[in-house]
Each structure stands twice: as C-alpha cells, then as structure tokens.
Amino acid sequence: MPVTLSEPAAKHVANFIAKRGKGVGVRLGVKTSGCSGLAYKLEFADVSLPEDIVFESHGVRVLVDPKSLPYLEGTQLDYTKEGLNEGFKFINPNVKDECGCGESFKV
C-alpha cells in the first residue's frame, strides 16, 4: 500500500521546498523510541537514495526507507491547523497502541 500526503500536507511540503530553493521531497521513517516503541521521523530530502522507495502524492515525492515501510504502509501524512497549533499528523492504519503523550506508537 502506498504512503501518501493529504492535499494540505503536499501543499505545505511543496511551499517549503520552494522557499528552501532545493529538495526532492519529504522522507518518512520510523525509529525506536518512546514508551510505546516506535516514533516517526520526518525530514525534507535533498536527494533520493538508491534504497529509497518512492511514492508520489499530489505532485510531491514521498521517500521511505525499506526498513520503515512495513510500519508505514497505508499511512497518510496530513497537515492541520487547529487554533494556534499547526503541524503534520500521521494517519497510520497499522498503529495498535499509542503512548499518552502521542510521541510514540506500536504496531
């Protein structure tokens, strides 16, 4: 299953890359962390690595490393604004449990 961006997330990433003046997309992954076991990694990618699995969503490239893909399959990255808070939100159908602070998860 692909890893996708919502339209607002794709617009935010595209605008950020344009302001930076460089970049090929956004890189998503997971790392071992937190009380539930895994945490998301998100960074802007300047290059595509040979091992990257590349998806395209609303004209923006989403790069995922092969080790993270089983945890991220079917995930959508959204960008939301709620009052004074704004940021990316992972909508991951694989999550079985999250910690109370929302920083980590397990599948």
Side-chain angles (χ1 to χ4, degrees), residues 13-106:
V13 170
N15 288 339
F16 189 81
I17 289 172
K19 286 180 187 175
R20 286 179 74 220
K22 64 179 180 175
V24 297
V26 63
R27 184 180 313 280
L28 304 180
V30 298
K31 62 182 177 181
T32 303
S33 178
C35 50
S36 290
L38 297 169
Y40 295 109
K41 295 188 305 185
L42 181 148
E43 62 187 15
F44 292 94
D46 292 333
V47 297
S48 180
L49 303 174
E51 65 270 15
D52 284 335
I53 299 162
V54 181
F55 301 97
E56 188 156 327
S57 187
H58 299 285
V60 175
R61 294 174 84 195
V62 179
L63 311 162
V64 180
D65 69 88
K67 290 181 182 177
S68 295
L69 186 59
Y71 303 104
L72 295 175
E73 283 187 306
T75 296
Q76 182 182 58
L77 182 64
D78 193 14
Y79 188 79
T80 60
K81 288 185 178 185
E82 296 174 8
L84 297 176
N85 298 320
E86 62 182 283
F88 289 105
K89 178 181 179 183
F90 287 83
I91 303 166
N92 186 341
N94 304 303
V95 170
K96 302 288 186 244
D97 194 23
E98 293 181 309
C99 69
C101 66
E103 293 296 318
S104 65
F105 67 97
K106 67 179 172 182

